[in-house]
Amino acid sequence: MAQAEHDRQYSPSQWSPRLGPDDVINDHCATVAKGSEAVRLSYPCELDVAYASGPGETLDLVTPRDGRAFNQIVVYFHGGMWQFLSKKDSLFFAAPLLDAGAAVAAVEYTVAPKGTMDTIVHQCRAAVLYLHQRFPDHHLVFAGHSAGGHLAAMMLLTDWAGLCQPNLPARIRGIVAVSGLFDLEPVQRCYANEALGLTDKQVAEYSPTRLLSEGAWSAPPGLCATVIVAFAQHDPEAFRQHSIDFHAALAALAAPSRLHVEPLLDVTEADHFEVIERMADPAFAVTKAALALIHPQGEGEEGATQ
């Protein structure tokens, strides 16, 4: 494949049928900024909570209205090819989850080129550790879009026992990975690597599909998680293939690893940006799957915290 076409495969803005590349990015940025501000104004928030001691190592935690107790925290990692956006733009989808009784945490991480992939994954793990230590009895759901889908997958596959948290896997309810990138080798060969500077070692350590397919990961004791993988009809072909391959690798491990892998969600009449923007709608297919994940049929809210 010629380099120009390979780069196009990793440029979702070039695949939208509704707007041109610049316009679809501008529209997305405006949509998520407006939606996130509406959530901050409508629900109780703890903003800029330090999850570690470094500059910008913060998260925003939003909880249900009226002091409603919660025992689920959806931990969201934003997209932007690991280079753009921030937690400030990452609460636009949260209202249906908050109304269902879950809390939502939007994680800030140091984007490239200042942040390397080592830094970014380390920071996301630190945010998860902070939330687990603060709310040790709560279930965690890792969610993310695009690059954030990759980070959500990496949180599922992290060796938490190696980080002195052997009980954390039992608190993982699942992941929601939307239009994610799960193999960093082709990312290393596209335009984005000018900022990312991915090394071969990082590709090997932080490629979820490779870790699964090569047998480098096995389910830790206590893990019993549900996996939701979704992508858009008008995602680039390469993005769609990332989700298909990651889903297949997970499904191959499902029985022995105590993972429940939901059917792949191929969202029609949506582009790369709409597929996550529409999660603000409780009737949207991906939102409905996420709501079913945080409140399985027949489960109450025992152990919830106000």
Side-chain angles (χ1 to χ4, degrees):
M1 182 185 296
Q3 186 64 48
E5 175 58 22
H6 184 70
D7 286 344
R8 191 175 81 92
Q9 289 288 336
Y10 289 87
S11 302
S13 62
Q14 297 190 42
W15 293 71
S16 174
R18 61 189 173 100
L19 292 169
D22 290 341
D23 288 340
V24 77
I25 291 174
N26 291 336
D27 181 77
H28 177 64
C29 291
T31 297
V32 298
K34 181 179 179 180
S36 297
E37 180 64 11
V39 168
R40 285 190 291 269
L41 292 173
S42 301
Y43 296 87
C45 300
E46 295 181 42
L47 303 179
D48 299 320
V49 178
Y51 63 76
S53 60
E57 293 182 332
T58 60
L59 56 82
D60 291 346
L61 180 66
V62 188
T63 56
R65 291 188 181 108
D66 302 320
R68 181 178 175 182
F70 63 91
N71 64 1
Q72 314 277 342
I73 305 172
V74 178
V75 188
Y76 183 77
F77 306 98
H78 67 79
M81 291 300 283
W82 304 275
Q83 299 172 56
F84 308 105
L85 298 176
S86 72
K87 68 177 176 61
K88 186 178 179 181
D89 312 303
S90 298
L91 293 170
F92 59 92
F93 70 98
L97 302 173
L98 293 161
D99 291 343
V104 176
V107 176
E108 191 81 293
Y109 56 85
T110 304
V111 296
K114 184 177 180 180
T116 66
M117 192 60 68
D118 291 317
T119 299
I120 292 168
V121 174
H122 173 78
Q123 288 176 328
C124 292
R125 287 170 173 163
V128 171
L129 287 170
Y130 166 81
L131 289 167
H132 175 60
Q133 289 165 356
R134 179 173 169 182
F135 303 101
D137 297 324
H138 289 51
H139 292 293
L140 302 174
V141 174
F142 306 133
H145 170 241
S146 197
H150 161 264
L151 295 170
M154 284 304 307
M155 297 305 101
L156 176 69
L157 302 186
T158 290
D159 176 14
W160 294 110
L163 297 176
C164 301
Q165 295 295 325
N167 296 325
L168 195 153
R171 310 315 299 168
I172 299 173
R173 175 55 56 86
I175 71 168
V176 182
V178 182
S179 296
L181 292 167
F182 306 107
D183 183 350
L184 296 183
E185 189 276 330
V187 177
Q188 188 184 33
R189 291 187 286 109
C190 83
Y191 71 93
N193 203 47
E194 183 175 345
L196 291 170
L198 290 167
T199 65
D200 291 345
K201 182 174 182 289
Q202 290 169 338
V203 168
E205 289 184 0
Y206 304 133
S207 292
T209 299
R210 289 176 177 242
L211 293 173
L212 293 167
S213 300
E214 296 172 2
W217 181 83
S218 59
L223 180 68
C224 187
T226 295
V227 179
I228 297 167
V229 180
F231 59 91
Q233 177 183 355
H234 299 298
D235 263 326
E237 294 168 0
F239 273 71
R240 290 170 59 85
Q241 195 62 49
H242 274 263
S243 288
I244 291 167
D245 292 345
F246 178 57
H247 185 269
L250 286 164
L253 293 178
S257 66
R258 300 183 70 201
L259 290 177
H260 174 70
V261 183
E262 291 284 348
L264 194 61
L265 284 172
D266 185 351
V267 179
T268 60
E269 299 183 359
D271 62 31
H272 182 77
F273 308 97
E274 291 172 304
V275 72
I276 192 66
E277 293 168 3
R278 290 181 186 173
M279 281 198 70
D281 178 2
F284 180 52
V286 184
T287 314
K288 289 167 69 174
L291 291 170
L293 171 56
I294 64 173
H295 284 307
Q297 186 174 4
E299 181 176 288
E301 296 185 4
E302 295 80 1
T305 295
Q306 292 184 324

